[in-house]
Amino acid sequence: MSQNIVEIKDVTFTRGDRVIYQNMSFNVPAGKITAIMGPSGIGKTTMLRLIGGQLKPDTGDILFEKNSIPQMSRKALYQARKKMSMLFQSGALFTDMSVFDNVAFPIREHTQLNEDLIRIIVLLKLELVGLRGAKNLMPSELSGGMARRAALARSIALDPELIMYDEPFAGQDPISMGVLVKLIKSLNNALNISSLIVTHDVTEVMTIADHVIILADKGVIGEGTPQEMLEHSSPLVQQFLQGLSDGPVPFHFEAKNYIEDLFTNQSAGEFQ
Amino acid sequence: MIGFWQKLGKATLARFSSIGRATALLIGALFNVPNIKKGTPLLIKQLYSVGFLSLIIIVVSGLFIGMVLALQGYTVLQGYGAEGSLGPLVALSLLRELGPVVTGLLFAGRAGSALTAEIGLMKATEQLSSLEMMAVDPLKRIIAPRFWAGMISMPLLALIFSAVGILGAHLVGVDWLGVDTGSFWSIMQAQVSFEKDILNGIVKTLVFAFVITWIALYRGYDCIPTSEGISEATTKTVVQSSLAVLGFDFVLTAVMFSS
Amino acid sequence: MVSRKIEILVGFFVSLGILALIMLALNVANAGIGANGETYILKAKFENIGSLKIRSPIKVGGVVVGRVAKIALDKNDYLPVVDMEISTDYSHFSETTAVNILTSGILGEQYLGLNPGVLVNNAGTDDDELNDLFGQEELKLLADGDFITDTKSALVLEELIGQFLFNQGGE
């Protein structure tokens, strides 16, 4: 872990009155696949937005290639974003363009290449994700898995140094999940980039991740290789990795005493 | 009592931050002049969806409003033997009031709501975030072309509305009710002034276009990205921009035509 | 990428809008007075201008030759002075020209009626000789900014009725 592409330092982030992170720190090593895992609702997507500079932490610092993201000017931030890309949960393809134009979009926006060259690059990227045959389809004609692959082709169009995946496996059937897992692994090796996967699909991601970070309770509860994680002593980590329904993370949402609640009169907020 | 003050303070702060965000959006749209090569196709696309697609409703409403004006005006004017004044009656009502205002209301309903819904959906499907992450400014790419398309389309639509309305009035007044075609046009020409009536009408439309597009874009951009939030934002766009059109119309009329 | 179809339709939309503007400007508002927009100013002082307004038409024998440009009160005698903007197509009114404030119909608006009087022929020498022959003084042309002296004020209904009653009483 000599080189880190992203460093999170002592970050605290609150939304309204709710504290999402409290003095959290971790590193994302360069050239490897890092997985951030944790129960849903823990603010994993928020983490990606913080790294992308769409949100700013209350305190602490986020370094991308040793430069502080929250302190960047708008212009510098846009320059930094050209080196990273993000695969959104829904794919976020532009619905008014064909698959080809979607992939060509960042190239057309940020380079002065001519159309012939753009065509070659787009076809190369589409071939990588196996969608060269679908280049003329509109996003509405794609299945969920294909849309995500098309979006993946778009996010590697400019050869970024860091790709962030937001829940890439959510709602996918086993086959397309397998395809995506393989794609992420092969892209990471072929393009020599760093990948950051936010997910709660433990088994899939454990097979490809080099580095695992588990978030819970407003901070990092465990960090290391998949093997180290499986042998981790914390009951919280074990509960999450093995998918036990009850444990340190309670099954019930915080509520007052069950018996008391059943046999008292209606409280404010119900049936008004 | 303290609860009341707190609520009032919270509402005030929320209102101010909302105005602030709307202003930031406007400034982003106004001063992010996109370069001509990339901006023109985007503008043309928006002129098509904001302007051209609103054409049918504008032409049909203009025609019918012109015809109804002629019919109503004729029955009243006939009582004084002043059918000849039908021309200026129709032309002045259309150019000064009905053209800008009705076009504004229709534009808010047809194009404004569509803009809000489109941008709201882009936000809900993370297309706006995705643009930002691709280092493309959504204000430049999404908001600015739509804003300028609205500013260009509205005056054109209002002019078309007035012209079609006058033709409709001619159809009813001259061809059906038998007003003399010569006096219809000549008295109209004697009474209607290019600077005072037509140009002031255009100024009105520009103000309305500014307000409607601004509200529509802001509501879409600032909506809560759920289906409920988008429907609420769309409703707000139509209600607020219609009220704004009527309010500004009164103020502008008072300033322009009261002397 | 924008398709050709969309480009054509937008072009159609924009030209339709411009066409509407041209139609409104020429057919509805009749921007300007005649074919050429050049005008000159004549002034006239009235006792009473009634409801004459700026942009009221100025007619000769029912033909519009210009419009009222300005209405102001003379600072010395507090009489209304009307500036008339007249097309340079009609530029040789003589000093015998009279101007009346007339009303079109009972409820109609008021306008200025010019009565050209003796016309000055600007053709030249022949007339001069004739005038010399009859020992007639040469009539001067009204130029930009000149006053028309022969004016008749607007009829005010109340004054008319008052006069009528006064005359009745006198008999």
Side-chain angles (χ1 to χ4, degrees):
Chain A
M1 251 179 275
S2 55
Q3 202 77 34
N4 293 324
I5 188 156
V6 177
E7 293 172 27
I8 309 285
K9 289 189 169 168
D10 233 9
V11 163
T12 300
F13 182 76
T14 53
R15 180 171 279 161
D17 301 331
R18 208 160 70 97
V19 179
I20 311 260
Y21 306 121
Q22 186 95 52
N23 296 350
M24 183 176 64
S25 303
F26 65 83
N27 297 326
V28 179
K32 298 201 171 146
I33 298 179
T34 306
I36 299 182
M37 295 194 277
S40 38
I42 206 77
K44 298 190 296 289
T45 307
T46 309
M47 194 64 248
L48 295 188
R49 288 187 190 275
L50 281 169
I51 297 173
Q54 291 186 316
L55 298 172
K56 282 194 177 170
D58 299 344
T59 59
D61 205 355
I62 296 166
L63 301 182
F64 174 75
E65 295 187 322
K66 311 289 174 208
N67 298 316
S68 165
I69 290 272
Q71 282 163 28
M72 277 185 190
S73 69
R74 197 178 163 75
K75 210 170 165 188
L77 183 61
Y78 271 51
Q79 284 306 318
R81 278 179 186 166
K82 288 183 189 170
K83 294 190 205 154
M84 52 172 104
S85 72
M86 182 147 147
L87 184 69
F88 287 85
Q89 203 166 345
S90 59
L93 291 171
F94 302 122
T95 41
D96 56 345
M97 297 179 192
S98 68
V99 169
F100 182 93
D101 287 332
N102 260 290
V103 179
F105 178 82
I107 311 176
R108 287 187 181 136
E109 277 297 317
H110 292 309
T111 67
Q112 304 289 329
L113 301 180
N114 65 28
E115 279 298 312
D116 294 337
L117 218 53
I118 291 178
R119 198 183 112 86
I120 294 172
I121 299 175
V122 172
L123 292 184
L124 280 173
K125 305 293 177 187
L126 281 173
E127 179 67 24
L128 269 178
V129 298
L131 283 182
R132 194 163 47 82
K135 66 176 192 283
N136 291 324
L137 295 181
M138 296 303 280
S140 54
E141 297 168 302
L142 300 177
S143 72
M146 281 160 81
R148 223 163 277 189
R149 275 151 67 191
L152 185 54
R154 183 178 67 181
S155 55
I156 57 171
L158 283 178
D159 297 323
E161 282 157 36
L162 169 71
I163 305 185
M164 295 183 273
Y165 301 87
D166 187 4
E167 305 276 6
F169 312 117
Q172 298 289 313
D173 65 76
I175 299 175
S176 41
M177 206 185 272
V179 170
L180 277 167
V181 168
K182 186 177 150 283
L183 260 179
I184 293 172
K185 180 80 184 162
S186 62
L187 280 180
N188 199 72
N189 293 340
L191 304 176
N192 193 25
I193 51 181
S194 319
S195 308
L196 181 60
I197 309 174
V198 152
T199 182
H200 45 235
D201 291 290
V202 176
T203 39
E204 283 72 26
V205 88
M206 288 298 249
T207 59
I208 54 167
D210 302 313
H211 188 70
V212 176
I213 295 158
I214 298 180
L215 300 182
D217 276 346
K218 300 163 192 166
V220 178
I221 54 166
E223 185 175 5
T225 63
Q227 200 51 43
E228 284 168 12
M229 282 295 102
L230 288 173
E231 290 157 8
H232 205 278
S233 57
S234 155
L236 209 58
V237 172
Q238 290 307 324
Q239 188 204 349
F240 180 73
L241 292 181
Q242 291 166 28
L244 304 174
S245 73
D246 215 348
V249 174
F251 167 72
H252 291 287
F253 195 78
E254 229 171 274
K256 56 182 167 178
N257 187 284
Y258 188 36
I259 303 293
E260 207 179 292
D261 207 7
L262 282 179
F263 296 103
T264 46
N265 290 328
Q266 289 172 8
S267 56
E270 291 176 50
F271 314 111
Q272 281 179 347
Chain B
M1 197 60 200
I2 288 172
F4 168 76
W5 291 118
Q6 191 197 347
K7 264 185 201 162
L8 183 73
K10 199 175 166 189
T12 315
L13 285 179
R15 179 56 43 140
F16 271 106
S17 88
S18 162
I19 291 173
R21 272 173 294 155
T23 313
L25 175 94
L26 182 70
I27 290 171
L30 283 179
F31 296 105
N32 262 324
V33 182
N35 70 41
I36 295 184
K37 197 170 149 238
K38 280 177 192 161
T40 317
L42 293 175
L43 181 65
I44 287 180
K45 208 166 170 185
Q46 290 312 316
L47 278 176
Y48 173 76
S49 58
V50 170
F52 181 80
L53 292 181
S54 309
L55 204 53
I56 292 175
I57 189 172
I58 291 292
V59 167
V60 172
S61 335
L63 188 71
F64 277 94
I65 286 182
M67 297 200 306
V68 167
L69 266 181
L71 211 53
Q72 291 280 13
Y74 181 80
T75 38
V76 175
L77 290 174
Q78 200 192 23
Y80 302 100
E83 302 99 294
S85 296
L86 188 63
L89 172 85
V90 171
L92 290 181
S93 337
L94 282 171
L95 289 171
R96 288 183 179 179
E97 285 302 327
L98 292 175
V101 171
V102 176
T103 308
L105 296 178
L106 291 173
F107 189 78
R110 165 68 184 74
S113 60
L115 282 179
T116 305
E118 189 192 10
I119 292 175
L121 268 172
M122 281 184 165
K123 188 174 181 182
T125 54
E126 295 175 315
Q127 292 184 43
L128 292 182
S129 289
S130 155
L131 273 176
E132 266 183 31
M133 286 307 296
M134 276 187 239
V136 176
D137 189 351
L139 291 181
K140 208 170 180 175
R141 171 87 199 179
I142 303 291
I143 302 295
R146 283 167 176 75
F147 179 81
W148 289 112
M151 290 295 284
I152 295 171
S153 300
M154 247 291 277
L156 293 177
L157 288 172
L159 286 171
I160 293 171
F161 182 93
S162 298
V164 170
I166 290 170
L167 292 179
H170 185 271
L171 201 69
V172 167
V174 176
D175 298 335
W176 182 24
L177 297 172
V179 174
D180 177 53
T181 181
S183 64
F184 182 85
W185 290 115
S186 63
I187 301 181
M188 190 194 295
Q189 286 172 6
Q191 298 270 334
V192 177
S193 138
F194 184 75
E195 295 87 27
K196 201 165 155 52
D197 299 317
I198 297 183
L199 285 188
N200 273 347
I202 293 178
V203 171
K204 263 191 184 180
T205 3
L206 282 172
V207 174
F208 296 165
F210 181 86
V211 174
I212 295 169
T213 354
W214 186 15
I215 292 178
L217 294 174
Y218 170 65
R219 283 290 160 215
Y221 200 73
D222 204 54
C223 77
I224 302 157
T226 60
S227 44
E228 203 181 13
I230 293 172
S231 91
E232 192 193 347
T234 315
T235 314
K236 270 187 183 165
T237 293
V238 176
V239 172
Q240 291 179 346
S241 47
S242 303
L243 289 178
V245 163
L246 296 171
F248 273 102
D249 183 51
F250 179 76
V251 175
L252 288 172
T253 307
V255 171
M256 287 172 173
F257 299 108
S258 65
S259 65
Chain C
M1 290 292 101
V2 184
S3 75
R4 265 174 68 84
K5 185 185 132 212
I6 287 182
E7 281 173 356
I8 292 169
L9 291 177
V10 168
F12 169 73
F13 165 62
V14 173
S15 41
L16 201 66
I18 293 171
L19 214 69
L21 178 67
I22 294 173
M23 179 238 169
L24 289 175
L26 295 184
N27 254 341
V28 176
N30 196 14
I33 297 159
N36 69 352
E38 285 178 37
T39 56
Y40 67 106
I41 301 279
L42 292 181
K43 296 178 182 222
K45 198 179 271 185
F46 293 92
E47 289 282 327
N48 189 332
I49 58 158
S51 62
L52 197 72
K53 288 188 178 64
I54 291 174
R55 287 196 57 78
S56 290
I58 298 158
K59 299 182 183 179
V60 176
V63 178
V64 178
V65 297
R67 296 198 178 275
V68 171
K70 192 179 124 192
I71 296 173
L73 219 49
D74 190 304
K75 291 240 163 56
N76 298 322
D77 50 14
Y78 286 147
L79 285 175
V81 174
V82 175
D83 284 19
M84 297 175 282
E85 209 173 35
I86 294 175
S87 165
T88 44
D89 288 352
Y90 313 102
S91 62
H92 38 281
F93 287 105
S94 75
E95 54 186 346
T96 59
T97 304
V99 57
N100 304 330
I101 297 179
L102 302 170
T103 310
S104 52
I106 295 176
L107 293 166
E109 46 152 11
Q110 290 188 306
Y111 65 95
L112 284 177
L114 278 183
N115 191 347
V118 181
L119 277 179
V120 177
N121 201 330
N122 57 351
T125 48
D126 290 347
D127 290 305
D128 288 342
E129 283 171 18
L130 265 174
N131 287 340
D132 290 344
L133 208 63
F134 288 101
Q136 212 169 5
E137 264 186 65
E138 201 178 328
L139 284 174
K140 270 196 287 180
L141 273 179
L142 286 174
D144 189 43
D146 281 354
F147 270 86
I148 297 177
T149 42
D150 186 357
T151 63
K152 206 153 98 191
S153 289
L155 289 177
V156 180
L157 205 59
E158 293 89 328
E159 286 180 6
L160 274 183
I161 294 170
Q163 254 171 17
F164 176 71
L165 290 177
F166 182 72
N167 288 347
Q168 291 277 311
E171 279 173 19

